[in-house]
Amino acid sequence: MKITAETVSLNSRAWDFASLVLFEDEKTNRTTLKTLPPALAKKIEAARSLGDFTAKKDETLFIYPEGSIPSTRLFVIGAGTSDTFTLDRLRKTAATAMKKAKTCSAASVVFVVPKLEAGAFSPETIAQAVTEAALLSLYAFDAYKTKDKKPSTVKSLTLIVDDNKTAMQYRKGIAAGITIARAVAHTRDLANAPGGVIYPSTLADDARRTARACGIRATVLDRRKIEQLGMGGVINVGKGSIHDPRFIILEYKPRRFARTVALVGKGVTFDSGGISIKPSANMGEMRMDMHGGASVIGTLEAVAQLKLPVHLIGLIPAVENMPSGSAVKPGDIITQYNGMTTEVDNTDAEGRLILADALSYASGRYHPDVIIDLATLTGAVVVALGHHATGMLGTDEETMTALKSAGDTTYERVWQLPLFEEYDKQIKSDVADVKNVGGRWGGAITAAAFLKNFTGGSKWVHLDIAGTSYLEEAHEYIPKGASGVGVRLLVEYLRNLK
């Protein structure tokens, strides 16, 4: 889909689908309505006076202009009051317009960007938000459907702006939005794909292809090399599968950079629970247990194409957790990459075992300024926060503050949980240094307490995306299934690194 910013009006040409945003407050709307032909403005005012459309949040009004403008349809979206309008509300209005345009089989769409309070958001930020929402709202994972596909007909989106200077700024935002949205869609595709399609070696193949396309260095370690390095977590979790594990290393290193950041993504391509097998209900969703790894690939893709001045390392331990005669068993003791021993109390707490190796590898090999890991790690975080926020824990308040700010901007919100030293007692083992589960209480926290042992003193933040990576119902620009969470959050964080 082609997206442009132009200094035109709704009278300029005949788009298939025109859309604009109105607020509840009359003063703000007056400016927008003045730009419309009187006959069209009169139709909107009639709907408002009858109470059929009050411009409350999520209200919509569909009008057939009948020649008052060249476009055949006008879709008006309510945004609530202007003083409570947010960047994400803008995304949602744009997504609502695009979805409606799709149902109308429209090919060309024009979106009148609402007049916002001066200085609220930069033109570039506004354009990026609209672009991301427009593209992501049309995402569909339908590669395996042979009928009932509903492909989007939308070929172009025009954003109407006031002047040429603003149009130039919009075009920068549009370019960034396209790059980021494509990376999110790629992440969604990986996480949605069946476990018979994405397993450790094919995930590694995708990482290599992405690296070649974006100028990133890619290294993939096979089972033999992983064993030589002493990554006991990765080897043991993967023992029960016919698919050997892989350890994926991606590195983007521009000539000039201010900081080195390591991203670690959980890459369990299918999680049956192993010997501690999961209930069969909804087990198919466990193909998405590699969403953290997919988000790392998507983030590296976007960062490299945006040419951000940061040295970025992506580490993805990729395994398939299956039950078999060779699988790791409850009660086994394994030695991690950093030499610590772990008692495997539950083989369904496998993600932390492979992350432990990757975290200690990141710390010891690269000595980054900060390590951030993303993992669909615990059901406990979903119980605590539902599907509305990512659980965040760590040892570096500066990074957590920056991630919270990035989350507020992108609406991929994070919520900090405590990491008190008292939780360490719950993961003490009688027969090894630590055990991989801490009992019933505070499961999301004790999982992070376990991981902390493998960070080597590096500044570290853990993002538990179990609740935000998979949605049971669609939102305006996030579909049911894999959300692609983490990419927009991390790109925003990395863009603002000082």
mmCIF file of all heavy atoms in Angstrom, residues 368-407:
data_model
loop_
_atom_site.group_PDB
_atom_site.id
_atom_site.type_symbol
_atom_site.label_atom_id
_atom_site.label_comp_id
_atom_site.label_asym_id
_atom_site.label_seq_id
_atom_site.Cartn_x
_atom_site.Cartn_y
_atom_site.Cartn_z
ATOM 1 N N PRO A 368 27.576 -5.697 27.439
ATOM 2 C CA PRO A 368 26.740 -4.590 26.953
ATOM 3 C C PRO A 368 26.412 -3.590 28.049
ATOM 4 O O PRO A 368 26.546 -3.879 29.248
ATOM 5 C CB PRO A 368 25.476 -5.310 26.481
ATOM 6 C CG PRO A 368 25.387 -6.511 27.362
ATOM 7 C CD PRO A 368 26.798 -6.944 27.601
ATOM 8 N N ASP A 369 25.963 -2.420 27.636
ATOM 9 C CA ASP A 369 25.526 -1.426 28.611
ATOM 10 C C ASP A 369 24.263 -1.880 29.327
ATOM 11 O O ASP A 369 24.049 -1.545 30.488
ATOM 12 C CB ASP A 369 25.278 -0.079 27.902
ATOM 13 C CG ASP A 369 26.564 0.515 27.354
ATOM 14 O OD1 ASP A 369 27.457 0.810 28.162
ATOM 15 O OD2 ASP A 369 26.668 0.663 26.128
ATOM 16 N N VAL A 370 23.435 -2.625 28.620
ATOM 17 C CA VAL A 370 22.224 -3.164 29.237
ATOM 18 C C VAL A 370 21.784 -4.393 28.458
ATOM 19 O O VAL A 370 22.007 -4.496 27.249
ATOM 20 C CB VAL A 370 21.091 -2.105 29.287
ATOM 21 C CG1 VAL A 370 20.605 -1.753 27.889
ATOM 22 C CG2 VAL A 370 19.928 -2.585 30.144
ATOM 23 N N ILE A 371 21.175 -5.339 29.168
ATOM 24 C CA ILE A 371 20.563 -6.516 28.543
ATOM 25 C C ILE A 371 19.060 -6.431 28.781
ATOM 26 O O ILE A 371 18.614 -6.197 29.904
ATOM 27 C CB ILE A 371 21.095 -7.831 29.147
ATOM 28 C CG1 ILE A 371 22.622 -7.916 29.048
ATOM 29 C CG2 ILE A 371 20.447 -9.032 28.452
ATOM 30 C CD1 ILE A 371 23.215 -9.106 29.800
ATOM 31 N N ILE A 372 18.303 -6.644 27.722
ATOM 32 C CA ILE A 372 16.837 -6.696 27.836
ATOM 33 C C ILE A 372 16.383 -8.028 27.256
ATOM 34 O O ILE A 372 16.735 -8.362 26.126
ATOM 35 C CB ILE A 372 16.158 -5.542 27.071
ATOM 36 C CG1 ILE A 372 16.652 -4.180 27.592
ATOM 37 C CG2 ILE A 372 14.640 -5.641 27.186
ATOM 38 C CD1 ILE A 372 16.200 -2.999 26.742
ATOM 39 N N ASP A 373 15.638 -8.794 28.041
ATOM 40 C CA ASP A 373 15.108 -10.040 27.495
ATOM 41 C C ASP A 373 13.595 -9.957 27.366
ATOM 42 O O ASP A 373 12.920 -9.273 28.130
ATOM 43 C CB ASP A 373 15.540 -11.252 28.331
ATOM 44 C CG ASP A 373 14.761 -11.414 29.621
ATOM 45 O OD1 ASP A 373 13.600 -11.858 29.565
ATOM 46 O OD2 ASP A 373 15.318 -11.114 30.711
ATOM 47 N N LEU A 374 13.084 -10.655 26.366
ATOM 48 C CA LEU A 374 11.642 -10.749 26.129
ATOM 49 C C LEU A 374 11.271 -12.219 26.096
ATOM 50 O O LEU A 374 11.909 -13.012 25.397
ATOM 51 C CB LEU A 374 11.247 -10.139 24.786
ATOM 52 C CG LEU A 374 11.505 -8.665 24.539
ATOM 53 C CD1 LEU A 374 12.882 -8.472 23.933
ATOM 54 C CD2 LEU A 374 10.456 -8.107 23.594
ATOM 55 N N ALA A 375 10.249 -12.578 26.856
ATOM 56 C CA ALA A 375 9.883 -13.984 26.929
ATOM 57 C C ALA A 375 8.418 -14.161 27.290
ATOM 58 O O ALA A 375 7.899 -13.465 28.164
ATOM 59 C CB ALA A 375 10.763 -14.697 27.969
ATOM 60 N N THR A 376 7.775 -15.103 26.615
ATOM 61 C CA THR A 376 6.455 -15.565 27.042
ATOM 62 C C THR A 376 6.718 -16.534 28.195
ATOM 63 O O THR A 376 6.642 -17.743 28.026
ATOM 64 C CB THR A 376 5.736 -16.280 25.880
ATOM 65 O OG1 THR A 376 6.626 -17.258 25.317
ATOM 66 C CG2 THR A 376 5.328 -15.303 24.800
ATOM 67 N N LEU A 377 7.010 -15.978 29.363
ATOM 68 C CA LEU A 377 7.630 -16.798 30.399
ATOM 69 C C LEU A 377 6.649 -17.448 31.363
ATOM 70 O O LEU A 377 6.803 -18.608 31.710
ATOM 71 C CB LEU A 377 8.660 -15.969 31.183
ATOM 72 C CG LEU A 377 9.760 -16.812 31.837
ATOM 73 C CD1 LEU A 377 10.583 -17.557 30.805
ATOM 74 C CD2 LEU A 377 10.670 -15.958 32.703
ATOM 75 N N THR A 378 5.634 -16.712 31.824
ATOM 76 C CA THR A 378 4.801 -17.269 32.894
ATOM 77 C C THR A 378 3.322 -16.988 32.694
ATOM 78 O O THR A 378 2.933 -15.894 32.256
ATOM 79 C CB THR A 378 5.202 -16.698 34.269
ATOM 80 O OG1 THR A 378 4.873 -15.308 34.330
ATOM 81 C CG2 THR A 378 6.678 -16.895 34.546
ATOM 82 N N GLY A 379 2.507 -17.951 33.062
ATOM 83 C CA GLY A 379 1.077 -17.703 33.141
ATOM 84 C C GLY A 379 0.746 -16.779 34.287
ATOM 85 O O GLY A 379 -0.282 -16.088 34.273
ATOM 86 N N ALA A 380 1.641 -16.736 35.281
ATOM 87 C CA ALA A 380 1.395 -15.903 36.460
ATOM 88 C C ALA A 380 1.295 -14.432 36.103
ATOM 89 O O ALA A 380 0.529 -13.681 36.716
ATOM 90 C CB ALA A 380 2.508 -16.126 37.491
ATOM 91 N N VAL A 381 2.056 -13.982 35.113
ATOM 92 C CA VAL A 381 2.000 -12.565 34.748
ATOM 93 C C VAL A 381 0.659 -12.237 34.090
ATOM 94 O O VAL A 381 0.160 -11.110 34.204
ATOM 95 C CB VAL A 381 3.185 -12.161 33.844
ATOM 96 C CG1 VAL A 381 2.952 -12.532 32.386
ATOM 97 C CG2 VAL A 381 3.471 -10.666 33.959
ATOM 98 N N VAL A 382 0.060 -13.218 33.415
ATOM 99 C CA VAL A 382 -1.250 -12.999 32.803
ATOM 100 C C VAL A 382 -2.313 -12.883 33.896
ATOM 101 O O VAL A 382 -3.229 -12.059 33.807
ATOM 102 C CB VAL A 382 -1.604 -14.138 31.826
ATOM 103 C CG1 VAL A 382 -2.850 -13.776 31.035
ATOM 104 C CG2 VAL A 382 -0.450 -14.423 30.871
ATOM 105 N N VAL A 383 -2.179 -13.695 34.926
ATOM 106 C CA VAL A 383 -3.092 -13.608 36.065
ATOM 107 C C VAL A 383 -2.986 -12.230 36.717
ATOM 108 O O VAL A 383 -3.989 -11.612 37.095
ATOM 109 C CB VAL A 383 -2.792 -14.714 37.097
ATOM 110 C CG1 VAL A 383 -3.634 -14.530 38.347
ATOM 111 C CG2 VAL A 383 -3.045 -16.083 36.488
ATOM 112 N N ALA A 384 -1.763 -11.719 36.816
ATOM 113 C CA ALA A 384 -1.541 -10.435 37.484
ATOM 114 C C ALA A 384 -1.985 -9.240 36.645
ATOM 115 O O ALA A 384 -2.611 -8.306 37.160
ATOM 116 C CB ALA A 384 -0.063 -10.294 37.843
ATOM 117 N N LEU A 385 -1.664 -9.255 35.350
ATOM 118 C CA LEU A 385 -1.843 -8.058 34.525
ATOM 119 C C LEU A 385 -2.805 -8.256 33.357
ATOM 120 O O LEU A 385 -3.105 -7.294 32.642
ATOM 121 C CB LEU A 385 -0.479 -7.600 33.968
ATOM 122 C CG LEU A 385 0.592 -7.248 35.015
ATOM 123 C CD1 LEU A 385 1.915 -6.936 34.319
ATOM 124 C CD2 LEU A 385 0.154 -6.083 35.875
ATOM 125 N N GLY A 386 -3.292 -9.458 33.149
ATOM 126 C CA GLY A 386 -4.150 -9.706 31.999
ATOM 127 C C GLY A 386 -3.396 -9.525 30.700
ATOM 128 O O GLY A 386 -2.184 -9.756 30.631
ATOM 129 N N HIS A 387 -4.114 -9.095 29.672
ATOM 130 C CA HIS A 387 -3.503 -8.930 28.349
ATOM 131 C C HIS A 387 -3.205 -7.462 28.031
ATOM 132 O O HIS A 387 -2.955 -7.122 26.876
ATOM 133 C CB HIS A 387 -4.439 -9.497 27.281
ATOM 134 C CG HIS A 387 -4.659 -10.969 27.402
ATOM 135 N ND1 HIS A 387 -3.719 -11.904 27.020
ATOM 136 C CD2 HIS A 387 -5.717 -11.684 27.894
ATOM 137 C CE1 HIS A 387 -4.185 -13.114 27.245
ATOM 138 N NE2 HIS A 387 -5.393 -13.010 27.781
ATOM 139 N N HIS A 388 -3.213 -6.606 29.029
ATOM 140 C CA HIS A 388 -3.110 -5.170 28.782
ATOM 141 C C HIS A 388 -1.728 -4.575 29.044
ATOM 142 O O HIS A 388 -1.466 -3.442 28.644
ATOM 143 C CB HIS A 388 -4.135 -4.428 29.636
ATOM 144 C CG HIS A 388 -5.526 -4.943 29.462
ATOM 145 N ND1 HIS A 388 -6.207 -4.870 28.268
ATOM 146 C CD2 HIS A 388 -6.367 -5.575 30.328
ATOM 147 C CE1 HIS A 388 -7.397 -5.415 28.400
ATOM 148 N NE2 HIS A 388 -7.523 -5.853 29.636
ATOM 149 N N ALA A 389 -0.857 -5.315 29.722
ATOM 150 C CA ALA A 389 0.469 -4.773 30.037
ATOM 151 C C ALA A 389 1.471 -5.901 30.141
ATOM 152 O O ALA A 389 1.141 -7.015 30.555
ATOM 153 C CB ALA A 389 0.438 -3.973 31.336
ATOM 154 N N THR A 390 2.700 -5.598 29.770
ATOM 155 C CA THR A 390 3.821 -6.523 29.902
ATOM 156 C C THR A 390 4.432 -6.370 31.291
ATOM 157 O O THR A 390 4.652 -5.251 31.754
ATOM 158 C CB THR A 390 4.869 -6.218 28.823
ATOM 159 O OG1 THR A 390 4.343 -6.591 27.537
ATOM 160 C CG2 THR A 390 6.172 -6.952 29.077
ATOM 161 N N GLY A 391 4.692 -7.483 31.924
ATOM 162 C CA GLY A 391 5.365 -7.437 33.222
ATOM 163 C C GLY A 391 6.831 -7.089 33.057
ATOM 164 O O GLY A 391 7.516 -7.646 32.188
ATOM 165 N N MET A 392 7.326 -6.162 33.853
ATOM 166 C CA MET A 392 8.710 -5.710 33.752
ATOM 167 C C MET A 392 9.394 -5.819 35.107
ATOM 168 O O MET A 392 8.872 -5.347 36.120
ATOM 169 C CB MET A 392 8.757 -4.257 33.258
ATOM 170 C CG MET A 392 10.164 -3.681 33.168
ATOM 171 S SD MET A 392 10.208 -2.024 32.401
ATOM 172 C CE MET A 392 9.355 -1.040 33.657
ATOM 173 N N LEU A 393 10.558 -6.435 35.121
ATOM 174 C CA LEU A 393 11.369 -6.539 36.331
ATOM 175 C C LEU A 393 12.823 -6.357 35.919
ATOM 176 O O LEU A 393 13.182 -6.555 34.749
ATOM 177 C CB LEU A 393 11.197 -7.900 37.015
ATOM 178 C CG LEU A 393 9.765 -8.347 37.344
ATOM 179 C CD1 LEU A 393 9.205 -9.223 36.237
ATOM 180 C CD2 LEU A 393 9.709 -9.083 38.681
ATOM 181 N N GLY A 394 13.674 -6.007 36.862
ATOM 182 C CA GLY A 394 15.073 -5.863 36.494
ATOM 183 C C GLY A 394 15.916 -5.201 37.558
ATOM 184 O O GLY A 394 15.464 -4.937 38.675
ATOM 185 N N THR A 395 17.149 -4.915 37.174
ATOM 186 C CA THR A 395 18.126 -4.347 38.098
ATOM 187 C C THR A 395 18.529 -2.929 37.732
ATOM 188 O O THR A 395 19.348 -2.336 38.429
ATOM 189 C CB THR A 395 19.387 -5.230 38.121
ATOM 190 O OG1 THR A 395 19.941 -5.302 36.780
ATOM 191 C CG2 THR A 395 19.072 -6.635 38.608
ATOM 192 N N ASP A 396 17.986 -2.388 36.645
ATOM 193 C CA ASP A 396 18.392 -1.050 36.192
ATOM 194 C C ASP A 396 17.176 -0.134 36.078
ATOM 195 O O ASP A 396 16.394 -0.225 35.133
ATOM 196 C CB ASP A 396 19.113 -1.149 34.845
ATOM 197 C CG ASP A 396 19.647 0.203 34.379
ATOM 198 O OD1 ASP A 396 20.135 0.965 35.228
ATOM 199 O OD2 ASP A 396 19.549 0.501 33.177
ATOM 200 N N GLU A 397 17.044 0.758 37.038
ATOM 201 C CA GLU A 397 15.884 1.649 37.074
ATOM 202 C C GLU A 397 15.865 2.616 35.893
ATOM 203 O O GLU A 397 14.794 2.967 35.387
ATOM 204 C CB GLU A 397 15.868 2.433 38.400
ATOM 205 C CG GLU A 397 15.578 1.589 39.628
ATOM 206 C CD GLU A 397 14.166 1.013 39.633
ATOM 207 O OE1 GLU A 397 13.277 1.606 38.964
ATOM 208 O OE2 GLU A 397 13.953 -0.029 40.273
ATOM 209 N N GLU A 398 17.038 3.060 35.457
ATOM 210 C CA GLU A 398 17.097 3.999 34.333
ATOM 211 C C GLU A 398 16.480 3.387 33.077
ATOM 212 O O GLU A 398 15.669 4.014 32.386
ATOM 213 C CB GLU A 398 18.550 4.391 34.051
ATOM 214 C CG GLU A 398 18.705 5.359 32.878
ATOM 215 C CD GLU A 398 20.146 5.627 32.502
ATOM 216 O OE1 GLU A 398 21.054 5.109 33.180
ATOM 217 O OE2 GLU A 398 20.352 6.353 31.509
ATOM 218 N N THR A 399 16.847 2.158 32.779
ATOM 219 C CA THR A 399 16.307 1.488 31.599
ATOM 220 C C THR A 399 14.822 1.215 31.764
ATOM 221 O O THR A 399 14.040 1.383 30.808
ATOM 222 C CB THR A 399 17.061 0.170 31.340
ATOM 223 O OG1 THR A 399 18.449 0.460 31.126
ATOM 224 C CG2 THR A 399 16.513 -0.542 30.115
ATOM 225 N N MET A 400 14.405 0.819 32.956
ATOM 226 C CA MET A 400 12.985 0.542 33.169
ATOM 227 C C MET A 400 12.146 1.809 33.036
ATOM 228 O O MET A 400 11.044 1.783 32.489
ATOM 229 C CB MET A 400 12.779 -0.132 34.533
ATOM 230 C CG MET A 400 13.251 -1.585 34.546
ATOM 231 S SD MET A 400 12.752 -2.527 36.006
ATOM 232 C CE MET A 400 13.946 -1.919 37.203
ATOM 233 N N THR A 401 12.683 2.934 33.492
ATOM 234 C CA THR A 401 11.982 4.211 33.333
ATOM 235 C C THR A 401 11.853 4.570 31.852
ATOM 236 O O THR A 401 10.794 5.017 31.393
ATOM 237 C CB THR A 401 12.722 5.325 34.082
ATOM 238 O OG1 THR A 401 12.753 5.010 35.483
ATOM 239 C CG2 THR A 401 12.036 6.670 33.891
ATOM 240 N N ALA A 402 12.943 4.351 31.100
ATOM 241 C CA ALA A 402 12.930 4.656 29.665
ATOM 242 C C ALA A 402 11.971 3.735 28.922
ATOM 243 O O ALA A 402 11.264 4.162 27.999
ATOM 244 C CB ALA A 402 14.333 4.536 29.093
ATOM 245 N N LEU A 403 11.909 2.471 29.317
ATOM 246 C CA LEU A 403 10.993 1.532 28.680
ATOM 247 C C LEU A 403 9.542 1.880 29.003
ATOM 248 O O LEU A 403 8.655 1.732 28.157
ATOM 249 C CB LEU A 403 11.303 0.096 29.122
ATOM 250 C CG LEU A 403 12.521 -0.543 28.452
ATOM 251 C CD1 LEU A 403 12.909 -1.828 29.169
ATOM 252 C CD2 LEU A 403 12.239 -0.833 26.975
ATOM 253 N N LYS A 404 9.302 2.333 30.216
ATOM 254 C CA LYS A 404 7.945 2.751 30.572
ATOM 255 C C LYS A 404 7.504 3.928 29.709
ATOM 256 O O LYS A 404 6.369 3.970 29.214
ATOM 257 C CB LYS A 404 7.843 3.126 32.047
ATOM 258 C CG LYS A 404 6.404 3.459 32.468
ATOM 259 C CD LYS A 404 6.304 3.854 33.925
ATOM 260 C CE LYS A 404 4.840 4.083 34.321
ATOM 261 N NZ LYS A 404 4.153 5.081 33.464
ATOM 262 N N SER A 405 8.406 4.887 29.505
ATOM 263 C CA SER A 405 8.093 6.031 28.653
ATOM 264 C C SER A 405 7.834 5.583 27.215
ATOM 265 O O SER A 405 6.878 6.038 26.574
ATOM 266 C CB SER A 405 9.250 7.039 28.690
ATOM 267 O OG SER A 405 9.002 8.118 27.818
ATOM 268 N N ALA A 406 8.675 4.682 26.713
ATOM 269 C CA ALA A 406 8.482 4.155 25.360
ATOM 270 C C ALA A 406 7.167 3.398 25.262
ATOM 271 O O ALA A 406 6.461 3.471 24.246
ATOM 272 C CB ALA A 406 9.652 3.246 24.977
ATOM 273 N N GLY A 407 6.812 2.676 26.315
ATOM 274 C CA GLY A 407 5.561 1.940 26.333
ATOM 275 C C GLY A 407 4.350 2.854 26.326
ATOM 276 O O GLY A 407 3.336 2.557 25.687
#
